[in-house]
């Protein structure tokens, strides 16, 4: 999705006023200014946190987009962030993406939990609140209990209603897990950049406070549902801690996102439902 061009005062604050921008069509609607990308941010706190982490984090065999600070030291200016450009494009190299996830989460295991991850979803029910509610649905005793206090309308589309029904069925299969939570990137599918034999690249970190194997499970659920991955992907990572339960929570998370997000497409549901059936057989 391409965003509107960054305003002049944002370009000036990042020192980019004399450079002609090029629309990238990715990087969350980013614009390329020589070797710097300006991208609109959905949530200021999360964007600033990601920039601070990416500024110094070192991950074995992974390139991280380093942030560019504004002339006054800020990471985010009027809803825009700046990062050094990384070459590469997403590719269906699903096992490699899971491997990136594991290496990344070894590096993020020592990070503290950001305060914004403790906050519940709230009205006016923005994109970030959809994902907060969906994440909690996979773990709280009563799925989507957080939804009632957040002002979100219940789904009315046939696929949205079916998602809620399937979510409720799968929730009864959950069992307590012992793997500790930590800071993880919960949206790696389709965001890892590959360029031949170069190290894979990451342009952002979408933070969640969950076990590392859950983040790997989200990748696998996404790859099976929409990425054309072979069914063996489920088994190839079966040695990860409490893998069936992590997959179960990952597919509940995605079902909740599908049910709650206003831009969900009915065409996306059959693949997700098929993956849910596969995960059900593992639990």
């Amino acid at each position: 999705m391409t965003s509107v061009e960054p305003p002049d005062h944002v370009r000036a604050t990042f020192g980019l006023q004399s450079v002609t921008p090029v629309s990238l069509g990715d990087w969350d609607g980013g614009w390329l200014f020589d070797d710097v990308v300006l991208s609109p941010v959905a949530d200021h706190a999360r964007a600033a946190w990601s920039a601070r982490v990416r500024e110094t984090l070192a991950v074995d065999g992974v390139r991280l987009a380093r942030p560019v600070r504004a002339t006054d030291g800020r990471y985010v200016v009027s809803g825009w962030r700046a990062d050094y450009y990384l070459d590469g494009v997403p590719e269906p190299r699903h096992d490699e993406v899971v491997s990136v996830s594991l290496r990344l989460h070894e590096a993020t295991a020592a990070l503290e939990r950001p305060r914004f991850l403790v906050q519940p979803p709230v009205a006016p029910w923005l994109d970030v609140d959809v994902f907060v509610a969906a994440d909690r649905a996979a773990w709280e005793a009563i799925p989507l209990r957080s939804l009632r206090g957040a002002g979100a309308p219940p789904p009315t589309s046939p696929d949205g209603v079916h998602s809620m029904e399937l979510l409720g069925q799968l929730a009864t299969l959950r069992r307590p897990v012992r793997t500790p939570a930590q800071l993880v990137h919960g949206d790696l599918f389709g965001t890892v950049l590959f360029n031949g034999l170069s190290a894979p690249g990451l342009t952002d970190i979408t933070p969640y406070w969950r076990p590392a194997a859950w983040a790997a499970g989200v990748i696998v659920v996404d790859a099976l549902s929409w990425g054309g991955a072979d069914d063996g992907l489920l088994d190839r990572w079966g040695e990860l801690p409490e893998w069936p339960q992590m997959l179960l929570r990952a597919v509940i998370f995605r079902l909740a996102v599908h049910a709650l997000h206003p831009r969900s497409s009915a065409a996306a549901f059959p693949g997700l439902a098929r993956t849910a059936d596969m995960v059900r057989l593992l639990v």
Side-chain angles (χ1 to χ4, degrees), residues 1-4 6 22-42 50 54 63-68 79-90 187 190-194 200-205:
M1 179 180 296
T2 302
S3 67
V4 296
V22 176
S23 175
L24 289 175
D26 51 17
W27 281 66
D28 296 322
W31 292 79
L32 182 62
F33 295 77
D34 286 342
D35 63 343
V36 174
V37 180
L38 282 181
S39 306
V41 304
S50 173
R54 287 183 286 107
R63 297 174 294 146
L64 287 172
R66 303 300 183 185
V68 177
W80 292 83
R81 75 178 216 237
D83 303 286
Y84 286 108
Y85 177 73
L86 292 181
D87 55 2
V89 294
D187 192 25
T191 66
V192 179
L193 303 181
F194 292 99
L202 283 179
T203 64
D204 199 5
I205 298 176

Side-chain angles (χ1 to χ4, degrees), residues 64-83:
L64 287 172
R66 303 300 183 185
V68 177
R69 291 191 186 223
T71 53
D72 59 5
R74 285 181 291 170
Y75 295 110
V76 179
V77 176
S78 298
W80 292 83
R81 75 178 216 237
D83 303 286

Side-chain angles (χ1 to χ4, degrees), residues 3-28:
S3 67
V4 296
E5 191 170 324
D8 290 342
H9 77 277
V10 170
R11 296 171 56 176
T13 307
F14 282 108
L16 302 171
Q17 62 268 45
S18 62
V19 184
T20 301
V22 176
S23 175
L24 289 175
D26 51 17
W27 281 66
D28 296 322

